[in-house]
mmCIF file of all heavy atoms in Angstrom:
data_model
loop_
_atom_site.group_PDB
_atom_site.id
_atom_site.type_symbol
_atom_site.label_atom_id
_atom_site.label_comp_id
_atom_site.label_asym_id
_atom_site.label_seq_id
_atom_site.Cartn_x
_atom_site.Cartn_y
_atom_site.Cartn_z
ATOM 1 N N LYS A 29 -25.121 56.495 31.411
ATOM 2 C CA LYS A 29 -25.696 56.436 30.070
ATOM 3 C C LYS A 29 -25.341 57.685 29.255
ATOM 4 O O LYS A 29 -25.212 57.607 28.039
ATOM 5 C CB LYS A 29 -27.217 56.288 30.146
ATOM 6 C CG LYS A 29 -27.697 54.930 30.573
ATOM 7 C CD LYS A 29 -29.217 54.937 30.464
ATOM 8 C CE LYS A 29 -29.863 53.693 30.960
ATOM 9 N NZ LYS A 29 -31.316 53.731 30.747
ATOM 10 N N GLU A 30 -25.172 58.837 29.934
ATOM 11 C CA GLU A 30 -24.824 60.074 29.239
ATOM 12 C C GLU A 30 -23.512 59.909 28.476
ATOM 13 O O GLU A 30 -23.374 60.357 27.336
ATOM 14 C CB GLU A 30 -24.702 61.258 30.219
ATOM 15 C CG GLU A 30 -25.997 61.726 30.809
ATOM 16 C CD GLU A 30 -26.453 60.927 32.040
ATOM 17 O OE1 GLU A 30 -25.746 59.978 32.480
ATOM 18 O OE2 GLU A 30 -27.540 61.244 32.549
ATOM 19 N N ILE A 31 -22.549 59.243 29.111
ATOM 20 C CA ILE A 31 -21.242 59.003 28.492
ATOM 21 C C ILE A 31 -21.407 58.098 27.274
ATOM 22 O O ILE A 31 -20.810 58.336 26.219
ATOM 23 C CB ILE A 31 -20.266 58.371 29.514
ATOM 24 C CG1 ILE A 31 -19.941 59.385 30.619
ATOM 25 C CG2 ILE A 31 -18.998 57.873 28.830
ATOM 26 C CD1 ILE A 31 -19.215 58.804 31.816
ATOM 27 N N LEU A 32 -22.226 57.066 27.417
ATOM 28 C CA LEU A 32 -22.448 56.119 26.322
ATOM 29 C C LEU A 32 -23.156 56.784 25.142
ATOM 30 O O LEU A 32 -22.782 56.578 23.988
ATOM 31 C CB LEU A 32 -23.246 54.919 26.823
ATOM 32 C CG LEU A 32 -22.540 54.089 27.893
ATOM 33 C CD1 LEU A 32 -23.516 53.130 28.553
ATOM 34 C CD2 LEU A 32 -21.351 53.360 27.308
ATOM 35 N N LEU A 33 -24.149 57.597 25.458
ATOM 36 C CA LEU A 33 -24.881 58.284 24.391
ATOM 37 C C LEU A 33 -23.964 59.274 23.670
ATOM 38 O O LEU A 33 -23.966 59.355 22.441
ATOM 39 C CB LEU A 33 -26.117 58.993 24.957
ATOM 40 C CG LEU A 33 -27.051 59.615 23.922
ATOM 41 C CD1 LEU A 33 -27.597 58.567 22.958
ATOM 42 C CD2 LEU A 33 -28.218 60.321 24.621
ATOM 43 N N LYS A 34 -23.142 59.994 24.420
ATOM 44 C CA LYS A 34 -22.185 60.930 23.816
ATOM 45 C C LYS A 34 -21.202 60.170 22.930
ATOM 46 O O LYS A 34 -20.865 60.621 21.829
ATOM 47 C CB LYS A 34 -21.439 61.720 24.895
ATOM 48 C CG LYS A 34 -20.494 62.753 24.288
ATOM 49 C CD LYS A 34 -19.711 63.491 25.356
ATOM 50 C CE LYS A 34 -18.767 64.525 24.801
ATOM 51 N NZ LYS A 34 -18.032 64.211 23.614
ATOM 52 N N PHE A 35 -20.739 59.005 23.388
ATOM 53 C CA PHE A 35 -19.836 58.174 22.586
ATOM 54 C C PHE A 35 -20.485 57.821 21.243
ATOM 55 O O PHE A 35 -19.841 57.910 20.199
ATOM 56 C CB PHE A 35 -19.476 56.893 23.369
ATOM 57 C CG PHE A 35 -18.642 55.925 22.602
ATOM 58 C CD1 PHE A 35 -17.259 56.064 22.556
ATOM 59 C CD2 PHE A 35 -19.218 54.858 21.924
ATOM 60 C CE1 PHE A 35 -16.469 55.168 21.853
ATOM 61 C CE2 PHE A 35 -18.445 53.952 21.205
ATOM 62 C CZ PHE A 35 -17.063 54.107 21.173
ATOM 63 N N CYS A 36 -21.760 57.440 21.281
ATOM 64 C CA CYS A 36 -22.490 57.090 20.053
ATOM 65 C C CYS A 36 -22.615 58.293 19.127
ATOM 66 O O CYS A 36 -22.410 58.180 17.912
ATOM 67 C CB CYS A 36 -23.870 56.533 20.384
ATOM 68 S SG CYS A 36 -23.831 54.892 21.147
ATOM 69 N N TRP A 37 -22.947 59.467 19.689
ATOM 70 C CA TRP A 37 -23.068 60.686 18.874
ATOM 71 C C TRP A 37 -21.720 61.061 18.266
ATOM 72 O O TRP A 37 -21.647 61.440 17.097
ATOM 73 C CB TRP A 37 -23.635 61.842 19.687
ATOM 74 C CG TRP A 37 -25.125 61.852 19.744
ATOM 75 C CD1 TRP A 37 -25.910 61.609 20.833
ATOM 76 C CD2 TRP A 37 -26.030 62.088 18.652
ATOM 77 N NE1 TRP A 37 -27.234 61.681 20.479
ATOM 78 C CE2 TRP A 37 -27.345 61.975 19.149
ATOM 79 C CE3 TRP A 37 -25.850 62.371 17.302
ATOM 80 C CZ2 TRP A 37 -28.470 62.142 18.353
ATOM 81 C CZ3 TRP A 37 -26.975 62.538 16.495
ATOM 82 C CH2 TRP A 37 -28.266 62.423 17.023
ATOM 83 N N ASP A 38 -20.647 60.958 19.062
ATOM 84 C CA ASP A 38 -19.311 61.277 18.548
ATOM 85 C C ASP A 38 -18.949 60.334 17.403
ATOM 86 O O ASP A 38 -18.405 60.764 16.385
ATOM 87 C CB ASP A 38 -18.258 61.182 19.658
ATOM 88 C CG ASP A 38 -18.367 62.312 20.673
ATOM 89 O OD1 ASP A 38 -19.084 63.299 20.408
ATOM 90 O OD2 ASP A 38 -17.739 62.200 21.746
ATOM 91 N N TYR A 39 -19.232 59.059 17.572
ATOM 92 C CA TYR A 39 -18.968 58.060 16.528
ATOM 93 C C TYR A 39 -19.717 58.429 15.244
ATOM 94 O O TYR A 39 -19.134 58.450 14.156
ATOM 95 C CB TYR A 39 -19.395 56.674 17.025
ATOM 96 C CG TYR A 39 -19.414 55.621 15.948
ATOM 97 C CD1 TYR A 39 -18.257 54.938 15.599
ATOM 98 C CD2 TYR A 39 -20.591 55.312 15.282
ATOM 99 C CE1 TYR A 39 -18.277 53.972 14.604
ATOM 100 C CE2 TYR A 39 -20.620 54.351 14.281
ATOM 101 C CZ TYR A 39 -19.454 53.685 13.952
ATOM 102 O OH TYR A 39 -19.484 52.735 12.959
ATOM 103 N N LEU A 40 -20.990 58.729 15.383
ATOM 104 C CA LEU A 40 -21.818 59.070 14.229
ATOM 105 C C LEU A 40 -21.330 60.352 13.548
ATOM 106 O O LEU A 40 -21.219 60.414 12.325
ATOM 107 C CB LEU A 40 -23.281 59.221 14.659
ATOM 108 C CG LEU A 40 -24.287 59.471 13.547
ATOM 109 C CD1 LEU A 40 -24.386 58.274 12.621
ATOM 110 C CD2 LEU A 40 -25.649 59.779 14.141
ATOM 111 N N ASN A 41 -21.008 61.369 14.338
ATOM 112 C CA ASN A 41 -20.542 62.640 13.781
ATOM 113 C C ASN A 41 -19.206 62.497 13.049
ATOM 114 O O ASN A 41 -19.019 63.075 11.980
ATOM 115 C CB ASN A 41 -20.451 63.708 14.874
ATOM 116 C CG ASN A 41 -21.823 64.116 15.375
ATOM 117 O OD1 ASN A 41 -22.824 64.023 14.661
ATOM 118 N ND2 ASN A 41 -21.893 64.539 16.622
ATOM 119 N N LYS A 42 -18.283 61.708 13.620
ATOM 120 C CA LYS A 42 -16.988 61.490 12.961
ATOM 121 C C LYS A 42 -17.181 60.751 11.644
ATOM 122 O O LYS A 42 -16.537 61.074 10.645
ATOM 123 C CB LYS A 42 -16.051 60.696 13.876
ATOM 124 C CG LYS A 42 -15.459 61.506 14.997
ATOM 125 C CD LYS A 42 -14.592 60.647 15.893
ATOM 126 C CE LYS A 42 -14.285 61.368 17.182
ATOM 127 N NZ LYS A 42 -13.800 60.462 18.218
ATOM 128 N N ARG A 43 -18.036 59.769 11.649
ATOM 129 C CA ARG A 43 -18.286 59.005 10.430
ATOM 130 C C ARG A 43 -18.923 59.889 9.353
ATOM 131 O O ARG A 43 -18.545 59.831 8.186
ATOM 132 C CB ARG A 43 -19.202 57.818 10.775
ATOM 133 C CG ARG A 43 -19.054 56.697 9.820
ATOM 134 C CD ARG A 43 -19.645 55.433 10.354
ATOM 135 N NE ARG A 43 -20.137 54.706 9.200
ATOM 136 C CZ ARG A 43 -21.092 53.827 9.220
ATOM 137 N NH1 ARG A 43 -21.683 53.519 10.345
ATOM 138 N NH2 ARG A 43 -21.482 53.231 8.128
ATOM 139 N N ILE A 94 -29.511 56.132 10.871
ATOM 140 C CA ILE A 94 -28.914 55.836 12.176
ATOM 141 C C ILE A 94 -29.097 57.019 13.113
ATOM 142 O O ILE A 94 -29.410 56.850 14.302
ATOM 143 C CB ILE A 94 -27.418 55.469 12.013
ATOM 144 C CG1 ILE A 94 -27.289 54.138 11.253
ATOM 145 C CG2 ILE A 94 -26.718 55.391 13.359
ATOM 146 C CD1 ILE A 94 -25.873 53.803 10.804
ATOM 147 N N LYS A 95 -28.952 58.225 12.578
ATOM 148 C CA LYS A 95 -29.143 59.442 13.379
ATOM 149 C C LYS A 95 -30.565 59.502 13.927
ATOM 150 O O LYS A 95 -30.779 59.858 15.090
ATOM 151 C CB LYS A 95 -28.851 60.671 12.516
ATOM 152 C CG LYS A 95 -28.912 61.977 13.241
ATOM 153 C CD LYS A 95 -28.573 63.121 12.290
ATOM 154 C CE LYS A 95 -28.592 64.454 12.972
ATOM 155 N NZ LYS A 95 -28.245 65.548 12.056
ATOM 156 N N LEU A 98 -30.794 57.204 16.846
ATOM 157 C CA LEU A 98 -30.089 57.758 17.999
ATOM 158 C C LEU A 98 -30.882 58.896 18.658
ATOM 159 O O LEU A 98 -30.872 59.039 19.880
ATOM 160 C CB LEU A 98 -28.704 58.243 17.563
ATOM 161 C CG LEU A 98 -27.638 58.362 18.639
ATOM 162 C CD1 LEU A 98 -27.545 57.119 19.492
ATOM 163 C CD2 LEU A 98 -26.298 58.680 18.013
ATOM 164 N N VAL A 101 -33.270 57.656 21.330
ATOM 165 C CA VAL A 101 -32.744 57.073 22.567
ATOM 166 C C VAL A 101 -33.021 58.021 23.724
ATOM 167 O O VAL A 101 -32.570 59.159 23.737
ATOM 168 C CB VAL A 101 -31.229 56.784 22.456
ATOM 169 C CG1 VAL A 101 -30.680 56.304 23.792
ATOM 170 C CG2 VAL A 101 -30.966 55.762 21.366
ATOM 171 N N PHE A 124 -25.107 48.516 25.667
ATOM 172 C CA PHE A 124 -25.933 49.715 25.627
ATOM 173 C C PHE A 124 -26.671 49.655 24.300
ATOM 174 O O PHE A 124 -26.050 49.606 23.239
ATOM 175 C CB PHE A 124 -25.071 50.984 25.715
ATOM 176 C CG PHE A 124 -25.843 52.267 25.625
ATOM 177 C CD1 PHE A 124 -26.835 52.576 26.560
ATOM 178 C CD2 PHE A 124 -25.586 53.188 24.616
ATOM 179 C CE1 PHE A 124 -27.549 53.766 26.484
ATOM 180 C CE2 PHE A 124 -26.290 54.384 24.530
ATOM 181 C CZ PHE A 124 -27.273 54.671 25.475
ATOM 182 N N ILE A 125 -28.017 49.620 24.357
ATOM 183 C CA ILE A 125 -28.805 49.491 23.131
ATOM 184 C C ILE A 125 -29.078 50.880 22.558
ATOM 185 O O ILE A 125 -29.841 51.649 23.129
ATOM 186 C CB ILE A 125 -30.138 48.752 23.395
ATOM 187 C CG1 ILE A 125 -29.902 47.464 24.135
ATOM 188 C CG2 ILE A 125 -30.916 48.583 22.098
ATOM 189 C CD1 ILE A 125 -30.145 46.195 23.458
ATOM 190 N N ALA A 126 -28.412 51.171 21.441
ATOM 191 C CA ALA A 126 -28.594 52.449 20.747
ATOM 192 C C ALA A 126 -28.269 52.232 19.269
ATOM 193 O O ALA A 126 -29.161 51.914 18.492
ATOM 194 C CB ALA A 126 -27.705 53.525 21.367
ATOM 195 N N ILE A 127 -26.979 52.390 18.931
ATOM 196 C CA ILE A 127 -26.505 52.123 17.563
ATOM 197 C C ILE A 127 -25.228 51.291 17.664
ATOM 198 O O ILE A 127 -24.578 51.269 18.714
ATOM 199 C CB ILE A 127 -26.218 53.425 16.778
ATOM 200 C CG1 ILE A 127 -25.081 54.222 17.417
ATOM 201 C CG2 ILE A 127 -27.474 54.274 16.637
ATOM 202 C CD1 ILE A 127 -24.536 55.356 16.551
ATOM 203 N N SER A 128 -24.881 50.629 16.601
ATOM 204 C CA SER A 128 -23.620 49.878 16.562
ATOM 205 C C SER A 128 -22.480 50.881 16.414
ATOM 206 O O SER A 128 -22.277 51.443 15.349
ATOM 207 C CB SER A 128 -23.622 48.895 15.391
ATOM 208 O OG SER A 128 -24.633 47.930 15.582
ATOM 209 N N ALA A 129 -21.774 51.116 17.515
ATOM 210 C CA ALA A 129 -20.729 52.143 17.509
ATOM 211 C C ALA A 129 -19.415 51.665 18.117
ATOM 212 O O ALA A 129 -18.502 52.456 18.312
ATOM 213 C CB ALA A 129 -21.223 53.381 18.263
ATOM 214 N N GLY A 130 -19.341 50.394 18.451
ATOM 215 C CA GLY A 130 -18.100 49.887 19.017
ATOM 216 C C GLY A 130 -18.177 49.759 20.527
ATOM 217 O O GLY A 130 -19.257 49.685 21.108
ATOM 218 N N THR A 131 -17.011 49.771 21.145
ATOM 219 C CA THR A 131 -16.899 49.506 22.578
ATOM 220 C C THR A 131 -16.382 50.723 23.329
ATOM 221 O O THR A 131 -15.427 51.360 22.898
ATOM 222 C CB THR A 131 -15.920 48.333 22.811
ATOM 223 O OG1 THR A 131 -16.307 47.238 21.990
ATOM 224 C CG2 THR A 131 -15.927 47.888 24.258
ATOM 225 N N VAL A 132 -17.014 51.013 24.458
ATOM 226 C CA VAL A 132 -16.550 52.064 25.358
ATOM 227 C C VAL A 132 -15.831 51.360 26.503
ATOM 228 O O VAL A 132 -16.385 50.448 27.121
ATOM 229 C CB VAL A 132 -17.728 52.889 25.929
ATOM 230 C CG1 VAL A 132 -17.224 53.931 26.910
ATOM 231 C CG2 VAL A 132 -18.518 53.532 24.817
ATOM 232 N N ILE A 139 -18.187 48.295 27.584
ATOM 233 C CA ILE A 139 -19.608 48.255 27.244
ATOM 234 C C ILE A 139 -19.726 48.330 25.728
ATOM 235 O O ILE A 139 -19.180 49.241 25.100
ATOM 236 C CB ILE A 139 -20.384 49.413 27.909
ATOM 237 C CG1 ILE A 139 -20.282 49.282 29.435
ATOM 238 C CG2 ILE A 139 -21.848 49.409 27.456
ATOM 239 C CD1 ILE A 139 -20.886 50.413 30.208
ATOM 240 N N PHE A 140 -20.424 47.360 25.164
ATOM 241 C CA PHE A 140 -20.633 47.321 23.732
ATOM 242 C C PHE A 140 -21.856 48.159 23.376
ATOM 243 O O PHE A 140 -22.948 47.898 23.888
ATOM 244 C CB PHE A 140 -20.854 45.881 23.245
ATOM 245 C CG PHE A 140 -19.657 44.992 23.467
ATOM 246 C CD1 PHE A 140 -19.584 44.179 24.584
ATOM 247 C CD2 PHE A 140 -18.613 44.976 22.562
ATOM 248 C CE1 PHE A 140 -18.492 43.361 24.791
ATOM 249 C CE2 PHE A 140 -17.512 44.162 22.754
ATOM 250 C CZ PHE A 140 -17.445 43.355 23.877
ATOM 251 N N CYS A 141 -21.670 49.147 22.507
ATOM 252 C CA CYS A 141 -22.790 49.939 21.999
ATOM 253 C C CYS A 141 -23.320 49.195 20.776
ATOM 254 O O CYS A 141 -22.616 49.073 19.766
ATOM 255 C CB CYS A 141 -22.329 51.339 21.631
ATOM 256 S SG CYS A 141 -21.746 52.285 23.050
ATOM 257 N N ILE A 142 -24.528 48.675 20.893
ATOM 258 C CA ILE A 142 -25.097 47.853 19.828
ATOM 259 C C ILE A 142 -26.444 48.404 19.388
ATOM 260 O O ILE A 142 -27.101 49.136 20.133
ATOM 261 C CB ILE A 142 -25.254 46.373 20.275
ATOM 262 C CG1 ILE A 142 -26.220 46.266 21.469
ATOM 263 C CG2 ILE A 142 -23.904 45.761 20.612
ATOM 264 C CD1 ILE A 142 -26.611 44.849 21.845
ATOM 265 N N SER A 143 -26.860 48.021 18.197
ATOM 266 C CA SER A 143 -28.181 48.431 17.722
ATOM 267 C C SER A 143 -29.211 47.382 18.146
ATOM 268 O O SER A 143 -28.871 46.224 18.393
ATOM 269 C CB SER A 143 -28.184 48.595 16.206
ATOM 270 O OG SER A 143 -28.231 47.339 15.574
#
Side-chain angles (χ1 to χ4, degrees):
K29 287 185 185 184
E30 290 84 1
I31 293 169
L32 297 167
L33 187 60
K34 183 183 180 320
F35 176 84
C36 290
W37 275 111
D38 289 347
Y39 169 84
L40 185 66
N41 291 333
K42 284 178 194 163
R43 205 164 148 205
I94 293 169
K95 184 179 181 179
L98 202 49
V101 175
F124 178 60
I125 309 248
I127 64 168
S128 296
T131 309
V132 177
I139 298 175
F140 297 96
C141 296
I142 62 171
S143 77

